[in-house]
Amino acid sequence: MAQIKIDLDRQIGPIDRKIYGNFVEHLGRCIYGGLYDPGSPLSGDNGFRTDVLEAVRALQVPILRYPGGNFVSGYHWRDGVGPRESRPKRLELAWNSLESNQFGTDDFIEFCRDANTEPYLCANLGNGTLDEAAAWVEYCNGSKDTEFANLRRRHGYEQPHQVKYWGLGNEVYGSWQIGHKSAGDYAKSALEFAKVMKWTDPSIKLVACGGQEVDWDWEVLKTCGGSVNYLSAHFYFGPSKEDDPHYSLCAHVSRVEEYVQILWQLIQAAQRRFGWRHPLQIALDEWNVWYRSRGCPHDGRFPLAPPLLEEIYDLTDALVVGAFLNMLQRNCRAVGLACMAQLVNVIAPIFTSKDGLFRQTIYFPLLAATTLSGEVALQVHTECDDFATKDGSRRVPYLDVSATLSPTRRKLYLSVVNFHKVQPLKFKLRLADFAVKPEVTQHQISGESPQSVNRLGNESVTLRSRRMKSVKNGSTLTAPMHSMNVYEFDLL
Ligand code: AHR
């Protein structure tokens, strides 16, 4: 039988709640027709969909990245501030859409305040300039009698927005990006942006653009590592055509974990080599399952808010998202910030129509992670069967496990994803030198089959809870087939 052993003394470290972040981009129906829909009876006076806000608040999203994504590499922030009737309409080249600019920086900040989340802005290092980025920092954070701080005041925002987190461009390594650059060119440019943005407001924290591969990341680290607080990495994954779709998708989390650990070593090597003392961590600021609905036609039509990247997620995807969140907790020393991409409609946990919304399967592992986890990650010893990927490159345990401790609430949370499609897996619970109250709650995400999906009016895959009695060290617990389970223990 499988076994899971937990020892409260074996702590990995504190978890930064920013790992449960999310992302909204001017893309498809994420903003327009998603979170912002001024014509809708479901929206408040400010145009924000109240049902979306409610679903976002329940998720307790700690940080929200904006405005892109690929979009940001052609975005000029001044287009999106001031009186709405004077904002220009533009051809949006990244996603072949019409950009009305009816939603911009101040609107985003208001949305963040309403949703109780921290804003994280990404600067344009595609076709944007140094002056423009510094002016954006001043517009958001300036408190002196200066042009851009005064512009913000004239727009009705007397107090600075206090935006602390700033990205230095998006996926600049990719040919699909406006202003695509080599690692060396990007690193030199990012260093200058970092300098002037920090001179404008020394309290900001910066995220340099990583490339998910060692050569790019080392080049950027060498040049910019001394001036930034995070190096980003983006991970999207789907099943492999040659393999079982369910298991090959489930295997992706271990691939990402492998690179996270390589990158963490690289960061530490750079810190040692260059003698940096400041905290420098990984920002996984775009991640998700994404393979069904990719890209957009560059056909010159430029529709307004077209339905792009509207992936409908199934239970397998929810298990992968659950395991990814477990992975973030396990790697809490390396990863200080992460953003699922994206929050609404576009590869998203929240899906709207004009009549309402539904929560996709992947909403529920996020909800479990933010509401059923502790502040400290624990090392867990797991023994269980595993499966092999068809290419033979790796063996993946059927059980993906993370444990977190809340010393303040005296709670222990054990998150167990069972990837097995047809077999419930029993495991022996081993608690090293501590005891728990015998009544334990098992919170579970499952469904009839790995292909189960949610729809408007029918959320069949959700988070359900049941009480278990008489649990103790040595008890046998069961993780049903294709399920995610969070066991909530009260420490004695
Ligand atoms: O999240 C969708 C897109 O994926 C983003 O715009 C881009 O950064 C990434 O390639």
Side-chain angles (χ1 to χ4, degrees):
M1 192 197 307
Q3 59 169 313
I4 294 179
K5 184 177 175 190
I6 305 170
D7 179 342
L8 299 187
D9 292 333
R10 290 187 165 264
Q11 305 195 348
I12 302 171
I15 295 173
D16 191 320
R17 279 189 71 81
K18 290 195 294 299
I19 63 170
Y20 307 128
N22 221 297
F23 169 43
V24 290
E25 176 170 7
H26 287 246
L27 196 182
R29 297 191 309 119
C30 180
I31 305 282
Y32 306 113
L35 60 92
Y36 179 71
D37 200 357
S40 165
L42 297 171
S43 297
D45 293 342
N46 50 12
F48 301 155
R49 279 275 296 253
T50 50
D51 53 348
V52 172
L53 266 172
E54 197 185 320
V56 176
R57 281 192 205 113
L59 269 187
Q60 301 183 13
V61 178
I63 188 162
L64 194 58
R65 180 171 179 253
Y66 172 84
N70 298 343
F71 170 81
V72 80
S73 297
Y75 182 59
H76 303 288
W77 65 269
R78 291 197 67 175
D79 288 349
V81 295
R84 285 208 164 82
E85 59 283 7
S86 330
R87 300 187 194 174
K89 291 196 184 71
R90 300 228 186 258
L91 299 181
E92 200 290 291
L93 300 182
W95 299 105
N96 186 54
S97 305
L98 189 76
E99 177 51 57
S100 68
N101 282 306
Q102 293 302 291
F103 188 94
T105 304
D106 300 316
D107 313 298
F108 171 67
I109 299 294
E110 290 209 9
F111 182 83
C112 288
R113 304 298 178 232
D114 279 7
N116 197 20
T117 186
E118 168 123 35
Y120 162 21
L121 292 176
C122 185
N124 175 355
L125 268 79
N127 67 9
T129 66
L130 278 172
D131 284 353
E132 191 180 9
W136 202 9
V137 176
E138 184 191 316
Y139 181 86
C140 290
N141 295 355
S143 55
K144 301 266 185 281
D145 176 15
T146 54
E147 179 182 354
F148 295 105
N150 286 337
L151 184 64
R152 183 197 68 235
R153 292 186 185 100
R154 281 205 300 284
H155 293 159
Y157 302 90
E158 185 55 38
Q159 295 308 317
H161 292 325
Q162 291 181 327
V163 178
K164 187 165 167 196
Y165 296 91
W166 291 83
L168 296 167
N170 178 73
E171 296 185 0
V172 185
Y173 50 81
S175 59
W176 57 90
Q177 210 66 216
I178 295 171
H180 158 217
K181 293 180 182 60
S182 68
D185 288 348
Y186 167 72
K188 267 193 240 152
S189 165
L191 183 64
E192 292 308 304
F193 272 71
K195 185 172 79 186
V196 296
M197 288 167 77
K198 281 206 95 131
W199 281 351
T200 308
D201 178 356
S203 73
I204 62 175
K205 306 278 178 214
L206 293 173
V207 182
C209 173
Q212 309 78 245
E213 59 95 16
V214 167
D215 291 341
W216 174 284
D217 285 343
W218 184 246
E219 186 67 36
V220 173
L221 267 176
K222 272 192 314 190
T223 309
C224 306
S227 309
V228 303
N229 306 90
Y230 301 89
L231 183 65
S232 76
H234 291 179
F235 288 101
Y236 291 105
F237 24 86
S240 122
K241 285 199 185 69
E242 296 74 47
D243 205 343
D244 176 292
H246 171 85
Y247 289 119
S248 69
L249 186 52
C250 294
H252 272 290
V253 174
S254 77
R255 289 181 211 280
V256 175
E257 186 157 20
E258 202 168 271
Y259 192 71
V260 163
Q261 288 167 2
I262 290 169
L263 183 52
W264 183 230
Q265 295 299 320
L266 215 59
I267 289 174
Q268 287 171 300
Q271 275 176 318
R272 178 185 278 224
R273 166 74 181 74
F274 301 108
W276 302 323
R277 298 247 174 270
H278 67 290
L280 182 50
Q281 283 180 298
I282 300 168
L284 288 178
D285 58 10
E286 285 188 33
W287 66 269
N288 206 344
V289 176
W290 176 25
Y291 64 96
R292 299 168 178 96
S293 175
R294 293 195 67 106
C296 68
H298 280 273
D299 58 7
R301 284 192 314 115
F302 300 103
L304 188 69
L308 294 174
L309 280 52
E310 298 203 349
E311 200 98 342
I312 296 297
Y313 288 105
D314 64 16
L315 176 59
T316 296
D317 303 325
L319 301 185
V320 174
V321 164
F324 197 98
L325 291 158
N326 283 350
M327 185 279 290
L328 292 177
Q329 293 174 344
R330 290 193 292 267
N331 291 278
C332 62
R333 284 159 61 98
V335 184
L337 192 167
C339 305
M340 174 189 256
Q342 303 187 5
L343 188 59
V344 187
N345 290 334
V346 172
I347 45 172
I350 297 169
F351 198 96
T352 69
S353 75
K354 63 178 179 29
D355 304 319
L357 65 75
F358 70 93
R359 296 167 302 170
Q360 296 230 52
T361 60
I362 61 169
Y363 181 94
F364 296 97
L366 279 176
L367 184 66
T370 56
T371 59
L372 299 167
S373 66
E375 304 89 83
V376 178
L378 299 174
Q379 274 176 15
V380 186
H381 175 73
T382 305
E383 286 171 22
C384 67
D385 288 344
D386 56 18
F387 60 92
T389 53
K390 198 133 196 190
D391 63 5
S393 67
R394 66 192 58 238
R395 299 199 68 85
V396 181
Y398 281 113
L399 296 181
D400 187 283
V401 181
S402 167
T404 62
L405 173 72
S406 173
T408 49
R409 283 172 281 142
R410 304 234 0 111
K411 293 264 189 197
L412 168 69
Y413 298 92
L414 174 64
S415 169
V416 181
V417 176
N418 179 5
F419 289 137
H420 210 297
K421 280 200 286 191
V422 292
Q423 227 177 280
L425 290 178
K426 289 186 188 312
F427 62 89
K428 187 171 282 251
L429 179 70
R430 293 184 52 210
L431 308 176
D433 291 334
F434 71 100
V436 291
K437 289 189 187 160
E439 284 225 325
V440 171
T441 310
Q442 180 177 8
H443 306 272
Q444 190 172 102
I445 299 161
S446 192
E448 266 181 23
S449 84
Q451 290 81 39
S452 298
V453 297
N454 292 347
R455 298 276 178 200
L456 192 62
N458 179 18
E459 290 181 349
S460 67
V461 176
T462 81
L463 185 61
R464 296 187 171 85
S465 305
R466 71 175 189 112
R467 296 287 277 171
M468 294 188 300
K469 293 196 164 79
S470 319
V471 177
K472 58 177 191 305
N473 179 29
S475 291
T476 298
L477 304 182
T478 304
M481 59 187 174
H482 51 71
S483 70
M484 174 174 182
N485 307 272
V486 182
Y487 302 89
E488 180 181 355
F489 301 90
D490 288 296
L491 299 178
L492 268 180

